Amino acid sequence: MKLNFYKSDPFDISRERKSISSMPSNHYHDAYEILYLVSGELYYFIEGRTYHVVSGVLLLININDIHRLVNINGNTYERVTLLFKSDFLSAFFTETEDFNPLSCFNSKSNVIKLSAFEQIFVENIFSKMIHEENEKQPGSSYYQKVLLMELLIYLQRKIPLDQSDQLVESNRPHKKISKILPYINENFSEQLSLEYMSRKFSISPSHLSRTFKETTGFTFVEYVNNIRVKEACSLLKNSDLSISGVAERVGFDNLTHFGRIFKALIGTSPLKFRKGKLD
């Protein structure tokens, strides 16, 4: 397959919803790249390693790393792509500082999986970057640099915790999981369970549990809860539904259970989140 080189701008960010990659061939950049999957699932090849990327997973791609996106199922996905050169942050580097925020690109893993709370935090940074990119207000370039530094420091602090976890890497496609993930993404409001999905997709509960973790980096319950809570956050901010209405809409039939899971993942109660208060 053809290998392409793309010359990058000092800073570029985009958020797109699509089903066909604009760069389907092997390619590399003269910039650092951060790819974050908002929704859907993809396979990503980076320097000979294959990653099955699902909603809430972030990829770090170093300068000149050969990579390629593959959408096996042709399903719609939404992703944020951020590219930047080190010179863009030159004002933040000093000779006496022993902390290098770019070292996260040289870690043992290209993958960082984010909890529901972490997804909201990271997506908020991306949204601010995109807003500054579009509005071009006074100080926009400097503010983008501040936001990028905040993101890199956050990721650098998180990586040591993740490296002990199993990588979200797959040497072969898990075809069953590739069918199960879209079903969860579209039907998270239903009463999903490991047993129900096992019966529906003709796979034993133990095999589904093990393969799901191997393929996505999340346990089945973790993934479902993250999808539901992330949607709940959107509804709490953008709808007039009651707390119980939000819980029911995203698939929780018990308000107490919803509150417990929400606080465990977001760090505050649904009511306080709606009011903009964090514990």
Side-chain angles (χ1 to χ4, degrees):
M1 182 173 286
K2 185 180 179 181
L3 177 63
N4 294 306
F5 167 74
Y6 293 96
K7 189 172 179 61
S8 304
D9 292 329
F11 179 91
D12 183 73
I13 186 169
S14 63
R15 178 167 177 164
E16 295 181 294
R17 186 176 177 85
K18 53 172 60 176
S19 58
I20 300 175
S21 170
S22 56
M23 295 183 180
S25 60
N26 288 327
H27 66 280
Y28 62 102
H29 309 273
D30 58 346
Y32 297 97
E33 180 173 352
I34 296 175
L35 183 138
Y36 170 72
L37 197 63
V38 181
S39 63
E41 63 158 337
L42 298 168
Y43 281 88
Y44 227 89
F45 298 94
I46 306 174
E47 289 291 303
R49 306 172 84 181
T50 306
Y51 298 93
H52 189 181
V53 185
V54 297
S55 173
V57 167
L58 184 146
L59 291 177
L60 298 172
I61 304 171
N62 209 345
I63 294 175
N64 295 327
D65 275 1
I66 297 171
H67 55 284
R68 175 166 57 99
L69 181 155
V70 177
N71 186 6
I72 291 176
N73 298 321
N75 294 326
T76 300
Y77 61 91
E78 185 173 5
R79 60 102 181 100
V80 174
T81 303
L82 169 62
L83 291 123
F84 68 94
K85 295 183 177 180
S86 57
D87 290 348
F88 184 71
L89 295 174
S90 59
F92 288 88
F93 290 95
T94 64
E95 293 182 1
T96 57
E97 179 60 61
D98 59 359
F99 177 79
N100 180 6
L102 298 178
S103 61
C104 59
F105 289 92
N106 297 311
S107 67
K108 296 178 181 178
S109 174
N110 295 87
V111 177
I112 299 177
K113 64 175 185 176
L114 304 174
S115 68
F117 174 79
E118 292 166 339
Q119 291 172 44
I120 292 169
F121 177 82
V122 168
E123 287 181 28
N124 186 46
I125 292 178
F126 287 141
S127 294
K128 290 179 181 179
M129 287 179 174
I130 293 169
H131 176 78
E132 295 300 319
E133 186 78 1
N134 294 335
E135 296 299 320
K136 299 296 184 184
Q137 297 180 10
S140 284
S141 178
Y142 192 80
Y143 189 33
Q144 284 179 326
K145 293 173 184 177
V146 171
L147 290 168
L148 179 55
M149 280 296 293
E150 181 180 9
L151 176 64
L152 292 174
I153 291 170
Y154 180 78
L155 297 178
Q156 182 65 24
R157 289 175 175 177
K158 180 169 173 55
I159 279 177
L161 300 175
D162 278 356
Q163 285 190 343
S164 61
D165 293 338
Q166 188 173 9
L167 295 179
V168 189
E169 180 181 2
S170 175
N171 293 323
R172 61 181 179 83
H174 290 66
K175 293 182 179 180
K176 287 279 188 182
I177 304 302
S178 291
K179 293 178 180 178
I180 289 171
L181 284 169
Y183 184 87
I184 295 173
N185 295 339
E186 295 171 10
N187 301 279
F188 59 83
S189 60
E190 296 182 7
Q191 295 305 305
L192 303 177
S193 68
L194 191 66
E195 291 71 23
Y196 170 80
M197 299 297 286
S198 298
R199 292 193 302 270
K200 185 171 183 63
F201 289 92
S202 302
I203 179 173
S204 73
S206 59
H207 184 59
L208 171 57
S209 178
R210 183 176 64 256
T211 308
F212 197 96
K213 174 69 173 178
E214 289 174 353
T215 306
T216 69
F218 295 92
T219 68
F220 176 80
V221 172
E222 283 175 341
Y223 185 79
V224 173
N225 282 341
N226 271 282
I227 293 291
R228 287 173 170 171
V229 168
K230 189 177 176 184
E231 178 63 20
C233 288
S234 177
L235 291 173
L236 288 167
K237 288 295 187 182
N238 303 308
S239 79
D240 295 325
L241 286 171
S242 65
I243 303 297
S244 60
V246 169
E248 184 178 356
R249 179 73 65 86
V250 300
F252 288 95
D253 57 2
N254 183 291
L255 185 58
T256 301
H257 182 57
F258 168 62
R260 185 165 55 248
I261 295 298
F262 190 96
K263 185 166 186 178
L265 293 178
I266 303 300
T268 191
S269 69
L271 181 59
K272 288 183 178 179
F273 179 85
R274 170 166 270 175
K275 293 179 178 179
K277 298 178 180 178
L278 297 177
D279 289 345

